[in-house]
């Protein structure tokens, strides 16, 4: 075996191990929340505990990586829907997909305010998500189907708000979030909309 072949093999192993760790951690955190131990994650991945720390310096770094994956999914969903003819239907689909994704992941709302969300990559991706949601929301505003004072940041915050509202009931009523999503969607409609009592918020820092 040449030195080049050995290095290539080591890199392939590192990529594979990182993928296995992220898959195992994502499943464990989604099912049981953020208190899952590093040891359990390593066991799920079929790797030694020390391997976890070779890829992620702390649990917070691991949580940040998983949070980035979830945020990236939301960004891709928003960008995909930008080409839809019916902007209101596209916004509804984005919000439905977004809250469903959050409802399936017990850990996401548990990491709100944790140091992992101070990670620069997470902060930047939250900004990208707000921009993508604003582009989606702007199309619906232009078509006159939602209230003219709703912003993309409002939409991003509503995703978490709807999930938080339903969270205490999800264990016994896993679809209850759909009720609160429907209430929120009705509030977004342009028809008979009054003036909101507070100006739009800035970009969320989730702290």
């Amino acid at each position: 075996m040449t030195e080049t072949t050995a290095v290539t093999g080591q890199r392939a192993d590192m990529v594979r191990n990182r993928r296995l760790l992220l898959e195992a951690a994502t499943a464990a955190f989604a099912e049981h929340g953020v208190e899952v131990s590093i040891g359990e994650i390593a066991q799920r991945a079929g790797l030694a505990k020390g391997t976890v720390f070779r890829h992620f310096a702390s649990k917070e770094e691991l949580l940040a990586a998983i949070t980035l994956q979830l945020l990236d999914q939301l960004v891709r969903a928003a960008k995909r829907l930008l080409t839809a003819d019916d902007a209101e239907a596209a916004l509804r689909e984005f919000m439905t997909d977004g809250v469903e994704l959050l409802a399936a992941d017990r850990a996401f709302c548990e990491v709100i305010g944790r140091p992992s969300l101070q990670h620069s990559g997470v902060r930047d991706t939250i900004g990208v998500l707000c921009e993508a949601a604003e582009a989606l929301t702007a199309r619906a505003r232009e078509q006159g189907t939602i209230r003219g004072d709703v912003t993309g940041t409002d939409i991003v915050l509503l995703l978490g708000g709807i999930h938080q509202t339903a969270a205490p009931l999800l264990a016994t009523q896993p679809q209850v979030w759909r009720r609160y999503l429907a209430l929120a969607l009705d509030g977004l409609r342009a028809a008979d909309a009054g003036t909101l009592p507070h100006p739009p918020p800035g970009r969320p820092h989730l702290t």
Side-chain angles (χ1 to χ4, degrees), residues 13-27 41-47 51-52 55-56 62:
D13 285 344
M14 288 183 67
V15 171
R16 170 183 170 275
N17 288 346
R18 183 180 176 88
R19 174 179 57 79
L20 289 172
L21 286 170
L22 284 171
E23 289 174 354
T26 299
I41 291 167
Q43 185 176 16
R44 279 189 178 224
L47 299 168
T51 303
V52 180
H55 288 269
F56 304 99
L62 182 53

Side-chain angles (χ1 to χ4, degrees), residues 72-89:
D72 283 338
Q73 283 183 262
L74 292 173
V75 169
R76 288 196 300 272
K79 290 182 175 179
R80 172 179 56 82
L81 290 164
L82 280 173
T83 58
D85 292 332
D86 186 332
E88 182 188 13

Side-chain angles (χ1 to χ4, degrees), residues 130-151:
C130 287
E131 290 168 4
E134 174 56 29
L136 201 59
T137 306
R139 293 187 68 239
R141 290 198 306 263
E142 289 163 6
Q143 291 184 5
T145 52
I146 67 168
R147 354 173 15 120
D149 50 3
V150 173
T151 70

Side-chain angles (χ1 to χ4, degrees), residues 64-170:
I66 292 170
T67 302
L68 277 169
Q69 288 184 153
L70 188 145
L71 291 171
D72 283 338
Q73 283 183 262
L74 292 173
V75 169
R76 288 196 300 272
K79 290 182 175 179
R80 172 179 56 82
L81 290 164
L82 280 173
T83 58
D85 292 332
D86 186 332
E88 182 188 13
L91 185 61
R92 292 173 69 91
E93 183 176 342
F94 170 70
M95 293 184 69
T96 301
D97 290 349
V99 181
E100 185 168 28
L101 185 63
L102 296 179
D105 191 330
R106 178 176 167 181
F108 187 78
C109 279
E110 291 184 15
V111 304
I112 300 301
R114 290 176 68 104
S116 58
L117 287 184
Q118 304 307 310
H119 187 282
S120 60
V122 173
R123 290 199 306 269
D124 290 346
T125 306
I126 290 172
V128 172
L129 175 60
C130 287
E131 290 168 4
E134 174 56 29
L136 201 59
T137 306
R139 293 187 68 239
R141 290 198 306 263
E142 289 163 6
Q143 291 184 5
T145 52
I146 67 168
R147 354 173 15 120
D149 50 3
V150 173
T151 70
T153 296
D154 289 326
I155 297 301
V156 170
L157 289 170
L158 277 172
L159 297 181
I162 293 163
H163 179 215
Q164 290 277 25
T165 300
L169 304 173
L170 288 176

